[in-house]
Amino acid sequence: MSEETLFTKIINGNIPAEILFEDDHCICIRDINPQAPTHVLVIPRKPLPRLVDATEDDKALLGHLMLKVGEIARELGIERAFRVVINNGESAGQTVFHLHLHILGNTTFDEGSLGIS
Ligand code: 5GP
């Protein structure tokens, strides 16, 4: 059996984290090294290593995660301006190989910093 991921250890309560929300499918915690005044992670209980590892079977789960992002952003009061980031693969900056969505808010986003305007 493959080793438990860091996030599975957090989900199972074996590593402490500030849990903001949890349900049957996912958990939301504050990032330990925030890159914005509000920086939380939405993590599925299912330990998919990367977004590209999701399959048709994960369609409902992925939809659920996106809906939770919106709900959590409203709950945190950042619904007017936030970013959702998924790093897929080491070269893209992924360090924990258990799918997670970063929600970054309460910061000023530079116009066009994503190369789209
Ligand atoms: P990635 O770089 O894989 O997209 O994101 C992993 C994130 O997990 C990073 O933003 C990092 O700060 C966060 N992180 C790493 N270890 C811990 C931890 O033990 N607790 C919490 N709450 N966040 C963590």
Side-chain angles (χ1 to χ4, degrees):
M1 210 174 98
S2 60
E3 215 177 285
E4 271 188 356
T5 71
L6 169 70
F7 291 154
T8 295
K9 289 178 184 156
I10 288 177
I11 287 166
N12 291 338
N14 297 324
I15 290 179
E18 186 183 343
I19 299 170
L20 302 181
F21 169 86
E22 59 183 317
D23 67 13
D24 289 349
H25 304 291
C26 65
I27 184 169
C28 175
I29 62 171
R30 278 202 201 276
D31 197 291
I32 205 169
N33 181 23
Q35 303 299 308
T38 299
H39 185 175
V40 303
L41 304 171
V42 180
I43 307 164
R45 291 185 187 276
K46 180 175 178 177
L48 287 165
R50 302 167 302 171
L51 181 63
V52 288
D53 298 310
T55 69
E56 198 64 23
D57 290 347
D58 300 308
K59 199 192 271 187
L61 175 62
L62 295 180
H64 181 80
L65 295 173
M66 293 306 283
L67 284 174
K68 287 300 153 193
V69 164
E71 281 176 30
I72 290 162
R74 273 196 294 278
E75 203 57 42
L76 294 171
I78 57 167
E79 70 275 14
R80 284 191 65 245
F82 65 92
R83 280 188 176 156
V84 181
V85 173
I86 297 174
N87 295 322
N88 183 100
E90 205 173 320
S91 308
Q94 186 173 4
T95 57
V96 179
F97 285 80
H98 181 145
L99 177 66
H100 51 283
L101 291 75
H102 297 257
I103 306 178
L104 300 141
N106 272 332
T107 192
T108 306
F109 299 113
D110 295 342
E111 264 179 54
S113 64
L114 286 179
I116 42 175
S117 47

